[in-house]
Amino acid sequence: AVVSTQSTGYVPDLKSDTDRLSDAIDLLRGHRYRILNNQSLEASRSMGINWIAVISLYNEQLKTVQNILGRAMLNNIDDFRRTANILIGTTVSALIFIALVEPFLFWANINKTWSLVKVQTKNTVQLQNLTEVLCREKQRSDDLIYKLVPADIAKKLKNHIAVPPEIFDSVSVLYV
C-alpha cells in the first residue's frame, strides 16, 4: 500500500488493498454459503480448512487497511499540529506587535483628538460671538423698522407678508 501526499494532508491509496479485502469477503461468503447449504449438514474437513484460510486472509487484509488508515490519521494529526503551531505563533507575534505599537498609536490619537477639541472649542466660541453680534444687529434693525412704520406694517414686513399700498387724502409728516 502507498500513502500519497497532497496539499490537504496524507491520503492512503487503498485501491489494491480494498480489492483484495473485497475478494476475501467474497470468498468468505461463498464458503459460508456452501457450509450452510451442505446437503449432508456436515462440513468437510477441506471446506473448514478453506474457511479458516479465507478468514485468515480477510483478517490480514483488514489489518493492512487498518494500518494504512492509522498511519494516514497520524500524519493528518501531525499536519494539523504543525498548522496549529504556525497559527498560534502568528497570532502571538501579532499580539506582541499590537502591544508594542498600540501605545504609540494611542498617544498619537490622543494628541490628534486633543488638537481637534481645541479647534472645535475655538470655533464654538467664535460662533457664539458672531451669533450675539447678529442678534444685536437684528434687534437694532427691528427697532428701526418699528420707528419708521406703524407696528402692524412692521410685523407684516418681518414675516415677509406683502403690504398693500394705502391711499390717504391728506398726510402730515413730522420729523423728530
Side-chain angles (χ1 to χ4, degrees):
V2 177
V3 177
S4 63
T5 307
Q6 295 182 350
S7 62
T8 58
Y10 295 98
V11 178
D13 179 15
L14 298 175
K15 183 168 177 22
S16 61
D17 292 313
T18 304
D19 290 342
R20 287 193 302 228
L21 186 61
S22 179
D23 292 343
I25 291 171
D26 289 343
L27 282 173
L28 275 175
R29 286 184 181 147
H31 283 299
R32 183 174 182 270
Y33 178 77
R34 282 192 297 278
I35 289 171
L36 290 176
N37 291 321
N38 189 352
Q39 298 298 331
S40 65
L41 298 177
E42 287 185 23
S44 68
R45 183 169 193 256
S46 64
M47 283 183 80
I49 291 172
N50 283 340
W51 173 261
I52 290 173
V54 171
I55 288 176
S56 296
L57 176 64
Y58 172 79
N59 282 335
E60 288 302 316
Q61 292 302 315
L62 195 56
K63 284 180 189 177
T64 302
V65 170
Q66 286 174 338
N67 286 336
I68 291 169
L69 290 175
R71 282 193 306 274
M73 287 173 57
L74 290 175
N75 288 334
N76 282 336
I77 290 170
D78 285 343
D79 285 348
F80 178 76
R81 183 185 48 79
R82 280 191 288 276
T83 303
N85 285 342
I86 290 170
L87 290 175
I88 289 170
T90 304
T91 303
V92 168
S93 299
L95 289 174
I96 290 172
F97 176 75
I98 290 169
L100 293 175
V101 172
E102 191 275 331
F104 298 110
L105 296 176
F106 175 77
W107 287 113
N109 285 334
I110 291 293
N111 288 335
K112 286 179 186 177
T113 304
W114 186 248
S115 297
L116 289 174
V117 167
K118 285 181 184 178
V119 169
Q120 187 66 31
T121 304
K122 179 182 169 188
N123 289 341
T124 302
V125 168
Q126 279 182 328
L127 183 61
Q128 285 174 342
N129 292 338
L130 290 174
T131 303
E132 289 173 6
V133 168
L134 181 63
C135 285
R136 280 195 306 269
E137 291 300 318
K138 186 174 184 298
Q139 186 63 41
R140 284 182 60 201
S141 171
D142 289 346
D143 291 345
L144 182 61
I145 288 176
Y146 279 108
K147 287 180 183 178
L148 292 176
V149 294
D152 59 333
I153 293 175
K155 287 180 186 176
K156 288 180 182 178
L157 290 174
K158 278 181 63 174
N159 293 323
H160 304 287
I161 298 173
V163 178
E166 294 181 30
I167 299 175
F168 297 98
D169 291 333
S170 66
V171 176
S172 298
V173 177
L174 174 67
Y175 292 99
V176 182

